Amino acid sequence: MKETKEFFLEELNKHKDLNKAKFFPRFFKTGPGEYGEGDLFLGITVPKQRLVAKKFAPKLSLDDLQSLIVSPYHEVRLTTLLILIQKYQTKKITEIEKEKIVKFYLKNTKYINNWDLVDVSADKIIGDYYFDKNNVIIQKLKNSKDLWENRIAILSTFHWIRKGRFEETLMLCEHFLNHNHDLIHKATGWMLREIGKRDIQTLRTFLKNHATKMPRTMLRYAIEKLTTSERKKWLELKKEN
């Protein structure tokens, strides 16, 4: 008799698209030396993965998910994370069950290894769980030598930004000013932009202190929602230094 996870994989495979499977490796930079090197794709869109996740979330255990998160196929790992989020957001979940999910997530960060995998999950699990707890885990992720753990750190704080708390995000953005990867520049700029949507003065203060040192990508992302004239001002200030 087939196990539930085998039915899950069969269901997911029904949505394969050969053309998308050829395109996704280029989109997610899987070539030699690129950030997604070696990742494999089935060519399944995210909406279809969400449908499969919704169907199987109640049926799959964390043990099942452990065998799925290690899959070489990107969409299997992403759908596994979508299921993990659904489990975490179950209304009747206990703190003990939440802790188990968080431990699962942190144990498997090496498989949460592309920007979409991080972005869909970090704030909903790590950000939510550590919002009212000691953020030593965020500090550990921040100081990691792993690109994706660094991105998990900054994206986790998106949950805190939505709650009106910016201190940790600003600290991380300052810490990552000298990061060597464009994906962190994009993530930090994005989070600064989100802060600016809620508190423009806080964004402007950060820009006053750091615009000249910010990587250009980080700066462009951060000022994207400002007026044309203000964007020009910050970009010219960057150019002059």
Side-chain angles (χ1 to χ4, degrees):
M1 185 176 177
K2 289 181 182 177
E3 294 185 34
T4 304
K5 61 185 176 184
E6 292 176 314
F7 284 114
F8 162 79
L9 292 170
E10 283 184 4
E11 184 76 16
L12 204 54
N13 273 282
K14 289 178 184 176
H15 301 289
K16 287 193 300 187
D17 184 312
L18 184 59
N19 290 327
K20 287 183 173 61
K22 290 179 179 177
F23 167 72
F24 285 164
R26 296 194 299 275
F27 182 73
F28 287 102
K29 308 293 185 186
T30 66
E34 293 183 310
Y35 60 74
E37 182 176 355
D39 209 353
L40 301 177
F41 290 83
L42 297 166
I44 307 170
T45 63
V46 174
K48 288 178 179 175
Q49 291 179 64
R50 290 189 184 279
L51 289 174
V52 176
K54 184 177 181 180
K55 179 177 179 179
F56 282 89
K59 304 174 184 178
L60 291 167
S61 68
L62 286 183
D63 285 341
D64 293 327
L65 296 184
Q66 183 59 58
S67 66
L68 295 169
I69 194 70
V70 303
S71 171
Y73 289 100
H74 188 99
E75 293 94 337
V76 176
R77 301 198 306 281
L78 179 54
T79 311
T80 300
L81 289 169
L82 292 172
I83 290 172
L84 199 68
I85 292 164
Q86 287 194 41
K87 286 183 173 295
Y88 185 88
Q89 294 178 339
T90 301
K91 288 183 179 180
K92 294 183 179 180
I93 192 170
T94 66
E95 277 300 307
I96 291 174
E97 289 169 331
K98 278 189 174 183
E99 184 181 7
K100 287 179 180 178
I101 289 172
V102 169
K103 285 182 176 178
F104 175 98
Y105 190 97
L106 294 171
K107 183 178 75 171
N108 288 290
T109 54
K110 66 180 177 180
Y111 305 111
I112 307 171
N113 57 351
N114 214 309
W115 57 265
D116 61 324
L117 304 177
V118 172
D119 296 3
V120 79
S121 61
D123 62 316
K124 297 174 184 67
I125 295 177
I126 302 302
D128 179 87
Y129 186 76
Y130 287 103
F131 179 70
D132 56 357
K133 296 178 178 64
N134 188 306
N135 65 7
V136 65
I137 292 297
I138 303 299
Q139 299 299 319
K140 182 179 178 182
L141 294 168
K142 173 196 80 172
N143 293 320
S144 170
K145 297 185 184 300
D146 181 78
L147 166 67
W148 304 116
E149 291 194 345
N150 295 162
R151 190 163 173 117
I152 288 169
I154 186 65
L155 260 296
S156 292
T157 68
F158 198 0
H159 177 80
W160 306 352
I161 292 171
R162 292 191 188 98
K163 297 284 189 179
R165 196 169 99 193
F166 310 137
E167 294 85 354
E168 291 88 353
T169 308
L170 295 170
M171 176 272 295
L172 289 170
C173 289
E174 185 173 357
H175 175 80
F176 287 136
L177 282 172
N178 297 314
H179 199 284
N180 61 5
H181 206 291
D182 192 54
L183 282 174
I184 299 301
H185 304 165
K186 290 177 179 178
T188 49
W190 173 20
M191 292 302 100
L192 286 169
R193 184 175 72 228
E194 292 298 331
I195 289 174
K197 288 179 183 178
R198 295 157 175 84
D199 186 339
I200 188 62
Q201 205 51 52
T202 296
L203 172 59
R204 286 176 176 146
T205 298
F206 187 91
L207 293 172
K208 285 176 185 177
N209 292 331
H210 302 294
T212 59
K213 303 186 288 289
M214 290 169 69
R216 183 163 290 274
T217 298
M218 180 180 177
L219 178 59
R220 285 188 176 278
Y221 269 61
I223 64 177
E224 191 176 85
K225 296 298 181 181
L226 302 181
T227 64
T228 301
S229 60
E230 187 169 4
R231 290 201 307 273
K232 184 178 179 182
K233 181 190 82 169
W234 292 115
L235 289 170
E236 286 179 348
L237 183 64
K238 169 69 177 173
K239 191 186 298 183
E240 290 170 4
N241 290 267

